[in-house]
Amino acid sequence: HRQLLSTPLPIPASFWKKQMKDNTSKPSATAEIQQQCQQRQSIVIATAMLYELDLAKALASRVVEAYRLGAWIIIGDDDTGERDGGRDLFLTELDRLMMELSNACGDDMPQILWTTSVVKNQKLGWMGKSVKLLHLNPPPSAIDSLL
């Protein structure tokens, strides 16, 4: 949910009473819709963050946190992540943290899937910039399209 204001406006009690009344008069959702609602998965996307070692290490920590919450994580990185070793540090730290989590939970290590893509943007002068995309915990319905 987005919060558009830094200080939320007070909502009158009459609004909440009306919402409660409206919700109780509606028929309950079907089992199929309820199942779809329960299967919602957050997506966490981060790009161009592996160029600096501190950011790369912090990102590994956030990726594991998002994974624990069930999110599909997509990390995009172009060649800037390889310049100062940021991508290598990220992967080393991610592997270490995922191993700790795996050992603590008794789970197998999750599979990390790498794909490549090309991005183009005339305004930035990118005529065809190669980008690597890390996918962690994608939904089963997306795996075939990623391969």
Side-chain angles (χ1 to χ4, degrees):
H1 299 283
R2 291 185 190 159
Q3 185 176 347
L4 300 177
L5 303 170
S6 59
T7 306
L9 298 173
I11 299 173
S14 60
F15 171 84
W16 293 116
K17 287 178 184 174
K18 181 178 181 334
Q19 291 297 314
M20 293 297 287
K21 182 180 176 188
D22 289 349
N23 285 336
T24 56
S25 64
K26 294 178 185 175
S28 62
T30 66
E32 182 181 338
I33 292 172
Q34 289 175 345
Q35 183 180 11
Q36 289 172 349
C37 291
Q38 292 170 355
Q39 291 176 347
R40 287 185 191 154
Q41 183 177 24
S42 297
I43 300 175
V44 175
I45 301 172
T47 62
M49 293 187 65
L50 303 181
Y51 59 89
E52 203 170 281
L53 296 177
D54 289 346
L55 278 175
K57 190 172 182 178
L59 181 58
S61 212
R62 294 298 179 222
V63 165
V64 173
E65 182 180 329
Y67 174 78
R68 287 179 54 211
L69 295 172
W72 172 10
I73 300 101
I74 303 171
I75 306 295
D77 184 42
D78 63 2
D79 63 346
T80 57
E82 295 182 321
R83 289 186 193 157
D84 294 323
R87 187 184 300 164
D88 288 338
L89 176 63
F90 167 77
L91 292 172
T92 300
E93 185 68 5
L94 180 62
D95 189 50
R96 183 185 72 75
L97 293 170
M98 291 302 290
M99 184 63 75
E100 284 180 8
L101 180 63
S102 176
N103 290 337
C105 296
D107 296 334
D108 292 333
M109 284 282 288
Q111 179 184 5
I112 294 175
L113 177 65
W114 283 98
T115 60
T116 56
S117 187
V118 175
V119 293
K120 297 177 183 181
N121 186 312
Q122 286 182 327
K123 290 180 183 179
L124 296 175
W126 297 348
M127 296 305 159
K129 191 171 189 159
S130 181
V131 177
K132 290 189 179 249
L133 298 170
L134 174 148
H135 297 268
L136 179 62
N137 201 31
S141 60
I143 292 175
D144 287 340
S145 65
L146 296 172
L147 299 175

Short mmCIF file of all heavy atoms in Angstrom, two decimals, residues 71-121:
data_model
loop_
_atom_site.label_atom_id
_atom_site.label_comp_id
_atom_site.label_asym_id
_atom_site.label_seq_id
_atom_site.Cartn_x
_atom_site.Cartn_y
_atom_site.Cartn_z
N ALA A 71 8.69 -13.24 -1.26
CA ALA A 71 8.68 -12.41 -2.46
C ALA A 71 9.47 -13.05 -3.60
O ALA A 71 10.37 -13.84 -3.39
CB ALA A 71 9.27 -11.04 -2.14
N TRP A 72 9.09 -12.67 -4.80
CA TRP A 72 9.87 -12.97 -6.00
C TRP A 72 10.84 -11.81 -6.13
O TRP A 72 10.44 -10.66 -6.19
CB TRP A 72 8.94 -13.06 -7.19
CG TRP A 72 9.59 -13.19 -8.54
CD1 TRP A 72 10.90 -13.42 -8.83
CD2 TRP A 72 8.93 -13.09 -9.81
NE1 TRP A 72 11.09 -13.49 -10.18
CE2 TRP A 72 9.90 -13.28 -10.81
CE3 TRP A 72 7.62 -12.86 -10.18
CZ2 TRP A 72 9.59 -13.26 -12.16
CZ3 TRP A 72 7.32 -12.83 -11.53
CH2 TRP A 72 8.29 -13.04 -12.50
N ILE A 73 12.12 -12.10 -6.16
CA ILE A 73 13.14 -11.07 -6.21
C ILE A 73 13.76 -11.05 -7.59
O ILE A 73 14.16 -12.09 -8.12
CB ILE A 73 14.24 -11.30 -5.14
CG1 ILE A 73 13.63 -11.28 -3.73
CG2 ILE A 73 15.30 -10.23 -5.25
CD1 ILE A 73 13.43 -12.60 -3.14
N ILE A 74 13.86 -9.86 -8.16
CA ILE A 74 14.51 -9.66 -9.45
C ILE A 74 15.58 -8.59 -9.25
O ILE A 74 15.27 -7.48 -8.82
CB ILE A 74 13.52 -9.21 -10.54
CG1 ILE A 74 12.37 -10.22 -10.67
CG2 ILE A 74 14.25 -9.01 -11.86
CD1 ILE A 74 11.24 -9.75 -11.56
N ILE A 75 16.83 -8.95 -9.54
CA ILE A 75 17.94 -8.01 -9.43
C ILE A 75 18.51 -7.81 -10.83
O ILE A 75 18.90 -8.78 -11.49
CB ILE A 75 19.06 -8.54 -8.50
CG1 ILE A 75 18.49 -8.92 -7.13
CG2 ILE A 75 20.20 -7.53 -8.39
CD1 ILE A 75 17.94 -7.79 -6.32
N GLY A 76 18.56 -6.57 -11.28
CA GLY A 76 19.14 -6.26 -12.58
C GLY A 76 20.51 -5.63 -12.41
O GLY A 76 20.71 -4.78 -11.54
N ASP A 77 21.46 -6.08 -13.23
CA ASP A 77 22.81 -5.53 -13.14
C ASP A 77 23.47 -5.53 -14.51
O ASP A 77 23.47 -6.53 -15.21
CB ASP A 77 23.65 -6.38 -12.16
CG ASP A 77 25.03 -5.81 -11.93
OD1 ASP A 77 25.16 -4.57 -11.79
OD2 ASP A 77 25.99 -6.59 -11.92
N ASP A 78 24.02 -4.39 -14.87
CA ASP A 78 24.80 -4.34 -16.10
C ASP A 78 26.27 -4.51 -15.73
O ASP A 78 26.59 -4.95 -14.63
CB ASP A 78 24.53 -3.04 -16.85
CG ASP A 78 24.96 -1.80 -16.06
OD1 ASP A 78 25.49 -1.93 -14.95
OD2 ASP A 78 24.73 -0.69 -16.57
N ASP A 79 27.16 -4.13 -16.59
CA ASP A 79 28.58 -4.35 -16.33
C ASP A 79 29.14 -3.53 -15.18
O ASP A 79 30.22 -3.81 -14.68
CB ASP A 79 29.40 -4.12 -17.60
CG ASP A 79 29.31 -2.68 -18.08
OD1 ASP A 79 28.43 -1.94 -17.61
OD2 ASP A 79 30.13 -2.31 -18.95
N THR A 80 28.40 -2.51 -14.69
CA THR A 80 28.93 -1.71 -13.58
C THR A 80 29.08 -2.54 -12.32
O THR A 80 29.92 -2.24 -11.47
CB THR A 80 28.03 -0.49 -13.28
OG1 THR A 80 26.72 -0.94 -12.98
CG2 THR A 80 28.02 0.48 -14.44
N GLY A 81 28.32 -3.60 -12.19
CA GLY A 81 28.43 -4.47 -11.02
C GLY A 81 29.71 -5.29 -11.01
O GLY A 81 30.10 -5.83 -9.98
N GLU A 82 30.37 -5.37 -12.17
CA GLU A 82 31.61 -6.14 -12.24
C GLU A 82 32.86 -5.27 -12.11
O GLU A 82 33.95 -5.77 -11.92
CB GLU A 82 31.66 -6.90 -13.57
CG GLU A 82 30.57 -7.95 -13.67
CD GLU A 82 30.64 -8.74 -14.95
OE1 GLU A 82 30.94 -8.17 -16.01
OE2 GLU A 82 30.42 -9.97 -14.88
N ARG A 83 32.72 -3.97 -12.19
CA ARG A 83 33.88 -3.08 -12.20
C ARG A 83 34.70 -3.17 -10.92
O ARG A 83 35.91 -3.32 -10.98
CB ARG A 83 33.45 -1.64 -12.43
CG ARG A 83 32.98 -1.41 -13.83
CD ARG A 83 32.70 0.05 -14.07
NE ARG A 83 31.97 0.17 -15.32
CZ ARG A 83 31.21 1.19 -15.62
NH1 ARG A 83 31.06 2.19 -14.77
NH2 ARG A 83 30.57 1.23 -16.77
N ASP A 84 34.07 -3.01 -9.80
CA ASP A 84 34.79 -3.00 -8.52
C ASP A 84 34.49 -4.23 -7.68
O ASP A 84 34.68 -4.22 -6.47
CB ASP A 84 34.46 -1.74 -7.72
CG ASP A 84 34.96 -0.48 -8.40
OD1 ASP A 84 36.06 -0.53 -9.00
OD2 ASP A 84 34.26 0.55 -8.36
N GLY A 85 33.99 -5.27 -8.30
CA GLY A 85 33.73 -6.51 -7.57
C GLY A 85 32.42 -6.54 -6.82
O GLY A 85 32.20 -7.42 -5.99
N GLY A 86 31.53 -5.60 -7.08
CA GLY A 86 30.26 -5.54 -6.37
C GLY A 86 29.39 -6.76 -6.60
O GLY A 86 28.79 -7.29 -5.67
N ARG A 87 29.32 -7.22 -7.85
CA ARG A 87 28.49 -8.39 -8.13
C ARG A 87 29.05 -9.62 -7.43
O ARG A 87 28.29 -10.40 -6.85
CB ARG A 87 28.39 -8.65 -9.63
CG ARG A 87 27.39 -9.77 -9.94
CD ARG A 87 27.34 -10.14 -11.40
NE ARG A 87 26.95 -9.03 -12.26
CZ ARG A 87 27.12 -9.02 -13.57
NH1 ARG A 87 27.66 -10.04 -14.18
NH2 ARG A 87 26.74 -7.98 -14.28
N ASP A 88 30.37 -9.78 -7.45
CA ASP A 88 30.97 -10.93 -6.77
C ASP A 88 30.71 -10.88 -5.27
O ASP A 88 30.38 -11.89 -4.65
CB ASP A 88 32.48 -11.01 -7.05
CG ASP A 88 32.80 -11.44 -8.47
OD1 ASP A 88 31.93 -12.08 -9.11
OD2 ASP A 88 33.91 -11.14 -8.93
N LEU A 89 30.86 -9.70 -4.67
CA LEU A 89 30.60 -9.56 -3.23
C LEU A 89 29.14 -9.85 -2.94
O LEU A 89 28.81 -10.55 -1.97
CB LEU A 89 30.98 -8.17 -2.74
CG LEU A 89 30.66 -7.89 -1.27
CD1 LEU A 89 31.46 -8.82 -0.36
CD2 LEU A 89 30.93 -6.44 -0.92
N PHE A 90 28.23 -9.32 -3.76
CA PHE A 90 26.80 -9.56 -3.59
C PHE A 90 26.51 -11.06 -3.60
O PHE A 90 25.82 -11.58 -2.72
CB PHE A 90 26.01 -8.85 -4.68
CG PHE A 90 24.57 -9.28 -4.77
CD1 PHE A 90 23.63 -8.83 -3.86
CD2 PHE A 90 24.15 -10.16 -5.76
CE1 PHE A 90 22.30 -9.24 -3.93
CE2 PHE A 90 22.84 -10.57 -5.85
CZ PHE A 90 21.91 -10.11 -4.94
N LEU A 91 27.04 -11.76 -4.60
CA LEU A 91 26.78 -13.20 -4.72
C LEU A 91 27.39 -13.99 -3.58
O LEU A 91 26.77 -14.93 -3.08
CB LEU A 91 27.29 -13.71 -6.07
CG LEU A 91 26.51 -13.19 -7.27
CD1 LEU A 91 27.19 -13.60 -8.56
CD2 LEU A 91 25.07 -13.68 -7.23
N THR A 92 28.58 -13.61 -3.15
CA THR A 92 29.21 -14.29 -2.02
C THR A 92 28.40 -14.09 -0.75
O THR A 92 28.13 -15.04 0.00
CB THR A 92 30.65 -13.76 -1.81
OG1 THR A 92 31.40 -14.03 -3.00
CG2 THR A 92 31.33 -14.42 -0.62
N GLU A 93 27.97 -12.86 -0.50
CA GLU A 93 27.17 -12.55 0.70
C GLU A 93 25.79 -13.20 0.61
O GLU A 93 25.29 -13.74 1.60
CB GLU A 93 27.05 -11.03 0.86
CG GLU A 93 26.35 -10.59 2.12
CD GLU A 93 27.12 -10.88 3.41
OE1 GLU A 93 28.27 -11.35 3.37
OE2 GLU A 93 26.54 -10.64 4.48
N LEU A 94 25.18 -13.17 -0.56
CA LEU A 94 23.88 -13.80 -0.75
C LEU A 94 23.98 -15.30 -0.49
O LEU A 94 23.15 -15.87 0.22
CB LEU A 94 23.36 -13.55 -2.16
CG LEU A 94 22.00 -14.15 -2.49
CD1 LEU A 94 20.91 -13.57 -1.59
CD2 LEU A 94 21.65 -13.92 -3.96
N ASP A 95 25.00 -15.93 -1.01
CA ASP A 95 25.19 -17.36 -0.79
C ASP A 95 25.38 -17.68 0.69
O ASP A 95 24.78 -18.62 1.22
CB ASP A 95 26.39 -17.85 -1.60
CG ASP A 95 26.51 -19.36 -1.60
OD1 ASP A 95 25.51 -20.04 -1.87
OD2 ASP A 95 27.62 -19.87 -1.31
N ARG A 96 26.17 -16.85 1.37
CA ARG A 96 26.41 -17.06 2.81
C ARG A 96 25.12 -16.93 3.60
O ARG A 96 24.78 -17.78 4.44
CB ARG A 96 27.46 -16.06 3.32
CG ARG A 96 27.83 -16.25 4.79
CD ARG A 96 28.78 -15.16 5.27
NE ARG A 96 28.12 -13.87 5.43
CZ ARG A 96 27.29 -13.55 6.43
NH1 ARG A 96 27.02 -14.44 7.37
NH2 ARG A 96 26.74 -12.36 6.51
N LEU A 97 24.37 -15.87 3.34
CA LEU A 97 23.13 -15.62 4.08
C LEU A 97 22.06 -16.67 3.77
O LEU A 97 21.33 -17.11 4.66
CB LEU A 97 22.60 -14.22 3.77
CG LEU A 97 23.46 -13.07 4.28
CD1 LEU A 97 22.96 -11.74 3.72
CD2 LEU A 97 23.50 -13.03 5.80
N MET A 98 21.98 -17.07 2.50
CA MET A 98 21.00 -18.10 2.13
C MET A 98 21.37 -19.44 2.76
O MET A 98 20.49 -20.20 3.15
CB MET A 98 20.88 -18.21 0.61
CG MET A 98 20.23 -17.01 -0.05
SD MET A 98 18.57 -16.61 0.54
CE MET A 98 17.64 -17.97 -0.12
N MET A 99 22.65 -19.74 2.86
CA MET A 99 23.10 -20.98 3.50
C MET A 99 22.73 -20.96 4.99
O MET A 99 22.25 -21.95 5.52
CB MET A 99 24.61 -21.16 3.33
CG MET A 99 25.12 -22.47 3.88
SD MET A 99 24.46 -23.93 3.07
CE MET A 99 25.37 -23.88 1.55
N GLU A 100 22.94 -19.82 5.65
CA GLU A 100 22.54 -19.68 7.06
C GLU A 100 21.04 -19.92 7.22
O GLU A 100 20.61 -20.63 8.12
CB GLU A 100 22.89 -18.29 7.59
CG GLU A 100 24.34 -18.08 7.90
CD GLU A 100 24.62 -16.67 8.41
OE1 GLU A 100 23.66 -15.91 8.68
OE2 GLU A 100 25.81 -16.33 8.56
N LEU A 101 20.26 -19.30 6.35
CA LEU A 101 18.81 -19.46 6.41
C LEU A 101 18.41 -20.90 6.13
O LEU A 101 17.57 -21.46 6.84
CB LEU A 101 18.14 -18.52 5.39
CG LEU A 101 16.62 -18.56 5.33
CD1 LEU A 101 16.01 -18.12 6.65
CD2 LEU A 101 16.12 -17.69 4.19
N SER A 102 19.03 -21.49 5.15
CA SER A 102 18.74 -22.87 4.78
C SER A 102 19.04 -23.81 5.95
O SER A 102 18.26 -24.69 6.28
CB SER A 102 19.55 -23.26 3.55
OG SER A 102 19.37 -24.60 3.24
N ASN A 103 20.18 -23.61 6.59
CA ASN A 103 20.56 -24.45 7.74
C ASN A 103 19.62 -24.24 8.92
O ASN A 103 19.24 -25.19 9.60
CB ASN A 103 22.00 -24.17 8.16
CG ASN A 103 23.00 -24.69 7.15
OD1 ASN A 103 22.71 -25.60 6.36
ND2 ASN A 103 24.19 -24.11 7.14
N ALA A 104 19.24 -23.00 9.17
CA ALA A 104 18.36 -22.70 10.29
C ALA A 104 16.96 -23.28 10.08
O ALA A 104 16.32 -23.73 11.02
CB ALA A 104 18.27 -21.19 10.50
N CYS A 105 16.50 -23.27 8.84
CA CYS A 105 15.14 -23.74 8.55
C CYS A 105 15.10 -25.20 8.13
O CYS A 105 14.02 -25.78 8.03
CB CYS A 105 14.53 -22.88 7.43
SG CYS A 105 14.32 -21.16 7.89
N GLY A 106 16.25 -25.78 7.85
CA GLY A 106 16.29 -27.16 7.39
C GLY A 106 15.79 -27.32 5.96
O GLY A 106 15.36 -28.39 5.56
N ASP A 107 15.85 -26.25 5.19
CA ASP A 107 15.39 -26.28 3.80
C ASP A 107 16.57 -26.44 2.85
O ASP A 107 17.71 -26.16 3.20
CB ASP A 107 14.67 -24.97 3.44
CG ASP A 107 13.40 -24.76 4.23
OD1 ASP A 107 12.81 -25.77 4.66
OD2 ASP A 107 13.00 -23.60 4.42
N ASP A 108 16.25 -26.82 1.62
CA ASP A 108 17.26 -26.83 0.57
C ASP A 108 17.55 -25.40 0.15
O ASP A 108 16.70 -24.52 0.29
CB ASP A 108 16.77 -27.61 -0.66
CG ASP A 108 16.63 -29.11 -0.37
OD1 ASP A 108 17.35 -29.62 0.51
OD2 ASP A 108 15.78 -29.75 -1.03
N MET A 109 18.73 -25.19 -0.39
CA MET A 109 19.08 -23.88 -0.93
C MET A 109 18.18 -23.61 -2.13
O MET A 109 18.02 -24.47 -2.99
CB MET A 109 20.54 -23.85 -1.37
CG MET A 109 21.52 -23.76 -0.23
SD MET A 109 21.63 -22.09 0.44
CE MET A 109 22.51 -21.27 -0.87
N PRO A 110 17.60 -22.44 -2.21
CA PRO A 110 16.76 -22.12 -3.37
C PRO A 110 17.61 -21.95 -4.63
O PRO A 110 18.77 -21.57 -4.57
CB PRO A 110 16.09 -20.81 -2.98
CG PRO A 110 17.03 -20.19 -2.02
CD PRO A 110 17.68 -21.33 -1.27
N GLN A 111 17.00 -22.23 -5.76
CA GLN A 111 17.70 -22.08 -7.02
C GLN A 111 17.67 -20.61 -7.44
O GLN A 111 16.62 -19.96 -7.37
CB GLN A 111 17.03 -22.93 -8.10
CG GLN A 111 17.68 -22.80 -9.45
CD GLN A 111 16.94 -23.58 -10.52
OE1 GLN A 111 15.89 -24.16 -10.27
NE2 GLN A 111 17.48 -23.59 -11.71
N ILE A 112 18.81 -20.13 -7.85
CA ILE A 112 18.91 -18.77 -8.40
C ILE A 112 18.97 -18.91 -9.90
O ILE A 112 19.79 -19.65 -10.44
CB ILE A 112 20.14 -18.03 -7.85
CG1 ILE A 112 19.97 -17.79 -6.35
CG2 ILE A 112 20.33 -16.71 -8.59
CD1 ILE A 112 21.17 -17.17 -5.68
N LEU A 113 18.11 -18.21 -10.58
CA LEU A 113 18.03 -18.28 -12.03
C LEU A 113 18.56 -16.97 -12.61
O LEU A 113 18.12 -15.90 -12.20
CB LEU A 113 16.58 -18.51 -12.45
CG LEU A 113 16.26 -18.55 -13.92
CD1 LEU A 113 16.94 -19.76 -14.58
CD2 LEU A 113 14.76 -18.64 -14.12
N TRP A 114 19.49 -17.06 -13.54
CA TRP A 114 20.03 -15.88 -14.22
C TRP A 114 19.50 -15.84 -15.64
O TRP A 114 19.49 -16.85 -16.34
CB TRP A 114 21.55 -15.93 -14.28
CG TRP A 114 22.21 -15.57 -12.99
CD1 TRP A 114 22.69 -16.43 -12.04
CD2 TRP A 114 22.49 -14.26 -12.50
NE1 TRP A 114 23.23 -15.74 -10.99
CE2 TRP A 114 23.13 -14.40 -11.25
CE3 TRP A 114 22.26 -12.98 -12.99
CZ2 TRP A 114 23.55 -13.32 -10.49
CZ3 TRP A 114 22.68 -11.89 -12.22
CH2 TRP A 114 23.30 -12.07 -10.99
N THR A 115 19.05 -14.70 -16.07
CA THR A 115 18.66 -14.49 -17.45
C THR A 115 19.41 -13.24 -17.95
O THR A 115 19.97 -12.49 -17.15
CB THR A 115 17.14 -14.28 -17.62
OG1 THR A 115 16.74 -13.14 -16.87
CG2 THR A 115 16.37 -15.51 -17.15
N THR A 116 19.41 -13.05 -19.23
CA THR A 116 20.02 -11.83 -19.80
C THR A 116 18.99 -11.11 -20.63
O THR A 116 18.03 -11.70 -21.14
CB THR A 116 21.25 -12.16 -20.67
OG1 THR A 116 20.86 -13.07 -21.69
CG2 THR A 116 22.36 -12.77 -19.85
N SER A 117 19.19 -9.83 -20.74
CA SER A 117 18.29 -9.00 -21.52
C SER A 117 19.10 -7.86 -22.11
O SER A 117 20.24 -7.61 -21.69
CB SER A 117 17.18 -8.46 -20.62
OG SER A 117 16.20 -7.79 -21.38
N VAL A 118 18.53 -7.16 -23.04
CA VAL A 118 19.17 -6.00 -23.63
C VAL A 118 18.22 -4.82 -23.44
O VAL A 118 17.03 -4.91 -23.75
CB VAL A 118 19.46 -6.22 -25.13
CG1 VAL A 118 20.02 -4.96 -25.76
CG2 VAL A 118 20.43 -7.38 -25.31
N VAL A 119 18.76 -3.74 -22.90
CA VAL A 119 17.95 -2.54 -22.72
C VAL A 119 18.44 -1.47 -23.69
O VAL A 119 19.62 -1.36 -23.97
CB VAL A 119 17.99 -2.02 -21.26
CG1 VAL A 119 17.31 -2.98 -20.33
CG2 VAL A 119 19.40 -1.75 -20.81
N LYS A 120 17.48 -0.70 -24.19
CA LYS A 120 17.79 0.38 -25.13
C LYS A 120 17.07 1.63 -24.65
O LYS A 120 15.93 1.57 -24.20
CB LYS A 120 17.30 0.04 -26.54
CG LYS A 120 17.97 -1.16 -27.14
CD LYS A 120 17.38 -1.47 -28.50
CE LYS A 120 18.00 -2.74 -29.07
NZ LYS A 120 17.47 -3.06 -30.39
N ASN A 121 17.77 2.76 -24.73
CA ASN A 121 17.17 4.03 -24.36
C ASN A 121 17.94 5.13 -25.09
O ASN A 121 19.09 5.41 -24.75
CB ASN A 121 17.21 4.22 -22.85
CG ASN A 121 16.46 5.45 -22.41
OD1 ASN A 121 16.62 6.54 -22.97
ND2 ASN A 121 15.64 5.29 -21.39
#
